[in-house]
Amino acid sequence: MTERPVLAEVTAALEEGRREGVAQALSAAVLREGALVHASFHGAIPAPTPRPLGEEDLFDVASLTKVMATATLAAQLVGDGTLRLDAPAAEALPGFEAAGKERVTLRHLLAHSAGLVAWRPWFAPAAADPVAGAAFLPPGERPPPAALRPAFARGKEIVRAGVLAERLEVRPGARPLYSDAGFLALGFLLEARLVAPLARAAEARVFAPLGLASTFFLDG
């Protein structure tokens, strides 16, 4: 087996993060001019059976999807004239104007200045739903991803309805506040304008062109 290249500084930083409780498992790969100069895997995956982290394990990148997929797709559509930064978001996302959001623009959503709440547990009604709840079952009881398509679709409907019904906390542009609600709305807006799920659009327009073969949405 070929020995992997390792940078001592990167290894030390990851081990320190693991000891401090940043995460139970961390990994990093560093490339220079296309050549791998570092690859290391630290810690263990706790479930369903604890084992050391390996090079084939995948990570949920969570809010990095905001910049890797949602914001990138928005920039593409603004660049080709499909969307306008200062147009009301409701022009592309009918229903978003509810509860006083008619003046929120695409620029507001991208800048986290729409005046929306930072976060709300929209997952809770999805987890309690008889269909969507299947996606929240423990690993040992959860169906395989392909069988979870109805659960993902129903959960998305529930979250979408919650986001569209949200009221503003302050007027658009009054404050910057990192907001999951704003980027969820932006994702639904992009789906409406592209007439395609965000996952499919990101794969076709961002991940595949960049050669990111292991990057994808887990949405069935």
Side-chain angles (χ1 to χ4, degrees):
M1 181 177 179
T2 304
E3 187 174 348
R4 301 187 190 93
V6 173
L7 297 173
E9 295 87 347
V10 177
T11 297
L14 292 173
E15 279 298 315
E16 182 178 359
R18 188 174 65 85
R19 287 193 300 269
E20 292 178 353
V22 172
Q24 292 178 305
L26 303 97
S27 69
V30 181
L31 287 84
R32 180 179 181 184
E33 297 180 353
L36 184 69
V37 296
H38 174 91
S40 64
F41 313 91
H42 308 257
I45 295 175
T49 302
R51 61 173 175 76
L53 181 70
E55 61 183 317
E56 298 299 323
D57 292 315
L58 301 177
F59 282 82
D60 175 4
V61 296
S63 281
L64 285 179
T65 58
K66 290 182 173 71
V67 292
M68 292 176 63
T70 315
T72 302
L73 289 169
Q76 289 178 350
L77 297 191
V78 169
D80 66 19
T82 300
L83 292 174
R84 294 178 295 122
L85 280 173
D86 294 308
E91 286 187 4
L93 182 59
F96 185 68
E97 69 280 0
K101 301 190 295 296
E102 64 277 355
R103 294 186 180 180
V104 174
T105 66
L106 179 66
R107 189 187 298 274
H108 289 138
L109 295 176
L110 284 164
H112 293 280
S113 63
L116 288 162
V117 66
W119 175 86
R120 205 178 295 285
W122 294 287
F123 66 86
D129 185 84
V131 176
F136 295 84
L137 292 172
E141 302 174 28
R142 191 184 310 144
L148 286 172
R149 288 174 182 168
F152 289 139
R154 176 59 181 153
K156 190 172 183 178
E157 289 176 2
I158 292 170
V159 172
R160 189 179 191 277
V163 171
L164 293 184
E166 275 294 326
R167 295 183 176 276
L168 297 180
E169 294 191 326
V170 298
R171 64 175 176 80
R175 71 175 184 197
L177 177 69
Y178 183 85
S179 172
D180 286 341
F183 259 73
L184 283 167
L186 181 58
F188 295 131
L189 182 157
L190 292 170
E191 290 187 330
R193 186 49 57 94
L194 290 166
V195 195
L198 191 69
R200 190 184 308 159
E203 170 62 29
R205 301 176 65 112
V206 182
F207 304 152
L210 291 175
L212 302 177
S214 296
T215 302
F216 58 90
F217 279 85
L218 181 61
D219 73 339

